[in-house]
Amino acid sequence: MDHPHPAGPARRRLAILAAVCLAALALPLSFSGGAVATPAIGRDLGGSAVALRWITNAFMLTFGSLLMAAGTLADRYGRKRLFALGTAAFALCSLALGLAPSLWAVDLLRAAQGVAAAAALAGGTAALAQEFDGPARTRAFSLLGTTFGIGLAFGPVLAGWLIHTVGWRAIFLSSAAAGALALAVGVPRLRESRDPHAGGLDRAGTATFTGALSCFTFGLIQAPESGWSSPLVIGLLGAAALLAAAFVAVERRAPRPMLDLSLFRYARFVGVQVLPIATCYGYIVLLVLLPLRLIGVEGFDEIDAGWMMLALSGPMLVVPLAAAALTRWLAPGILCGLGLLLAAGGLWWLSLALRAGAGPAALAPLLLIGLGTALPWGLMDGLSVSVVPKERAGMATGIFSTTRVAGEGIALAVVSAVLAALTQQRLLAGMPAADAGRTAYDAAQAAAQLAAGDFAHAAAWLPSVAGATLRQGYADAFGLLLRGLAVVTALCAIAVFVFLSGRERSAPDAAGAATAP
């Protein structure tokens, strides 16, 4: 259990912060690196469009669905213990991925890597919340958010360089090295801490939540290949709805729920959860879809694609820290809302710049999207900790991180399915009526391959269609998708203005609100 103790030496706490940030750095490197490596993995190991999409989605699914459960385990069994176990397992899974013999082995290991990442992040962030108090804790979590940004910024560039010079397996081996270093630096300096009031693992809640998220993601990934009306897809989406309803019912009756639904009565708590949802649709999905377009459809090599992606992710290096400084004059909610509006404008601009293909005209809108997203990025981790008492740090970080990571997995599945459907419509619209009826299935398969960044297999499904026609149909669908994402991001900005426009309350007020009946 937790015991009162004086603050540790500054050097020890900085070493702990560095270790947690290093572990956090490996997570976005693994995420964005896996997206850039997908075309190379497909060329090396083969596989269907569905199997290739699971390279990213398997990691995001297990990572997002188990974060809340990992937070509960951290509070009960020890934050240091869970951080150590998760980081060690993450390093081992990354090492195994570097030696994987088949695409299915990659997919399964990515799922296991996501489980380990959930344990490492939940344990590390909950331990961090016990080491820092007040403004120092806000600064520590802002630095943690900036570390995520650095991983996202340099992930595509590093992945492109590694693929070009060594091969895609080196991406996962570098993640293993980062995990091992975090383990060696942080664990000896961490103090064990627990929540003395923590209950047992909410098994029913964990099972229903994971089942709902798995069925929903699987259904969305399978829809472009099997069709939205297929019994498999309908069954998966129906099961997801039933399991989601069961999860809510279980959590409402649990004495110590994994997700405290009563927290959603408070406007600031709801507003904090909107922030990662907005960044999912306005930013994260581009980190996956844009490399697939640049490398798999436009024909860029991995290094050139990585450098172009730097325009999108580069602002994460400096803007989050600047945003933290700006909170002296503007409320965090105002800054977050303004940033999301900038990102929405950048998405609409990008839809126009990419009409004729990827090129220098896309750099300015990508920079604007990155700038707008980076404003809330450095603030939302600190905001998330302020809405619950310190002793419920596992709950706070678990809920926020689950919203972020599960939202990313859902956003990727939704956006990929929408892109495939829009591409199919554009391909069919460009065919003669006589051919469209006979090739509807082939067009669906070609659209799924294009959405997965595999132009060669897409062209094989429609050999009578010129390559320029395939690319133009895909580009038109991509532009329409970007405009839809701009609308979603703008709506999230309005919600943030409504819920988070005021100044942040003091920690006692936030704690009282979080624990009120």
Side-chain angles (χ1 to χ4, degrees):
M1 60 181 292
D2 290 327
H3 296 282
H5 53 72
R11 183 177 300 177
R12 185 188 67 83
R13 291 200 297 168
L14 287 175
I16 293 170
L17 177 60
V20 176
C21 286
L22 186 60
L25 181 65
L27 304 185
L29 283 175
S30 179
F31 166 70
S32 58
V36 174
T38 295
I41 295 174
R43 291 193 299 267
D44 186 17
L45 301 179
S48 66
V50 171
L52 289 172
R53 278 197 288 272
W54 277 112
I55 294 173
T56 299
N57 282 282
F59 177 81
M60 303 307 297
L61 176 63
T62 53
F63 189 13
S65 63
L66 295 175
L67 269 171
M68 284 192 292
T72 300
L73 293 175
D75 285 343
R76 182 177 186 185
Y77 295 107
R79 288 119 185 185
K80 174 181 177 178
R81 178 180 298 177
L82 199 71
F83 174 74
L85 290 174
T87 305
F90 181 86
L92 290 174
C93 289
S94 301
L95 179 63
L97 277 163
L99 307 173
S102 67
L103 182 57
W104 287 111
V106 170
D107 290 343
L108 290 174
L109 285 169
R110 287 284 277 173
Q113 190 184 39
V115 176
L121 184 62
T125 52
L128 204 62
Q130 306 304 312
E131 295 289 341
F132 294 89
D133 289 300
R137 183 166 54 159
T138 300
R139 289 194 296 270
F141 275 85
S142 294
L143 183 60
L144 181 65
T146 303
T147 303
F148 272 95
I150 292 173
L152 292 174
F154 285 105
V157 176
L158 177 61
W161 180 78
L162 288 173
I163 293 169
H164 186 77
T165 57
V166 183
W168 62 266
R169 297 178 186 274
I171 295 173
F172 300 110
L173 296 178
S174 65
S175 294
L181 185 58
L183 195 66
V185 171
V187 172
R189 294 169 174 82
L190 272 175
R191 289 177 295 200
E192 188 60 277
S193 63
R194 297 177 177 85
D195 179 1
H197 305 295
L201 178 64
D202 182 4
R203 293 181 175 84
T206 301
T208 51
F209 182 78
T210 303
L213 192 60
S214 300
C215 290
F216 186 68
T217 303
F218 189 16
L220 290 177
I221 290 176
Q222 191 66 36
E225 181 169 301
S226 301
W228 288 96
S229 60
S230 72
L232 175 60
V233 172
I234 293 175
L236 287 168
L237 297 181
L242 291 175
L243 287 168
F247 171 71
V248 172
V250 166
E251 296 305 285
R252 287 173 64 89
R253 291 172 173 80
R256 184 80 175 192
M258 181 175 67
L259 174 61
D260 188 355
L261 297 175
S262 66
L263 293 176
F264 287 93
R265 300 173 184 172
Y266 303 102
R268 291 187 63 80
F269 181 82
V270 175
V272 168
Q273 310 314 311
V274 171
L275 292 173
I277 294 173
T279 57
C280 286
Y281 288 93
Y283 180 76
I284 294 296
V285 294
L286 290 183
L287 292 175
V288 176
L289 295 184
L290 203 53
L292 294 179
R293 173 173 179 168
L294 295 175
I295 299 169
V297 180
E298 302 278 357
F300 282 56
D301 65 31
E302 285 82 3
I303 292 181
D304 289 339
W307 283 114
M308 178 168 279
M309 293 296 296
L310 192 60
L312 175 66
S313 53
M316 288 292 177
L317 299 176
V318 293
V319 175
L321 292 177
L326 288 173
T327 56
R328 297 178 182 178
W329 300 280
L330 289 174
I334 297 293
L335 284 172
C336 292
L338 290 174
L340 295 178
L341 287 179
L342 289 177
L347 286 163
W348 197 280
W349 186 7
L350 184 63
S351 72
L352 304 177
L354 291 177
R355 280 180 174 175
L363 295 177
L366 286 173
L367 190 63
L368 183 61
I369 296 169
L371 174 64
T373 307
L375 279 172
W377 195 273
L379 301 175
M380 55 187 184
D381 286 274
L383 284 170
S384 71
V385 181
S386 70
V387 298
V388 297
K390 178 181 176 181
E391 62 269 15
R392 299 302 304 277
M395 171 70 77
T397 57
I399 293 174
F400 175 77
S401 299
T402 296
T403 303
R404 170 187 275 174
V405 182
E408 290 170 359
I410 292 172
L412 284 173
V414 169
V415 171
S416 297
V418 170
L419 178 59
L422 293 174
T423 303
Q424 181 186 3
Q425 291 178 359
R426 294 301 183 274
L427 294 179
L428 290 174
M431 296 179 185
D435 292 339
R438 293 199 306 268
T439 61
Y441 177 78
D442 293 344
Q445 300 303 309
Q449 295 289 349
L450 286 170
D454 192 344
F455 180 81
H457 284 92
W461 279 102
L462 296 173
S464 62
V465 178
T469 302
L470 288 176
R471 288 189 173 92
Q472 190 58 52
Y474 171 80
D476 291 344
F478 203 97
L480 186 57
L481 175 68
L482 288 174
R483 291 190 285 277
L485 295 177
V487 172
V488 171
T489 306
L491 292 175
C492 288
I494 295 172
V496 168
F497 281 129
V498 171
F499 293 127
L500 291 175
S501 57
R503 282 282 178 183
E504 184 177 355
R505 289 173 296 184
S506 63
D509 290 341
T515 55

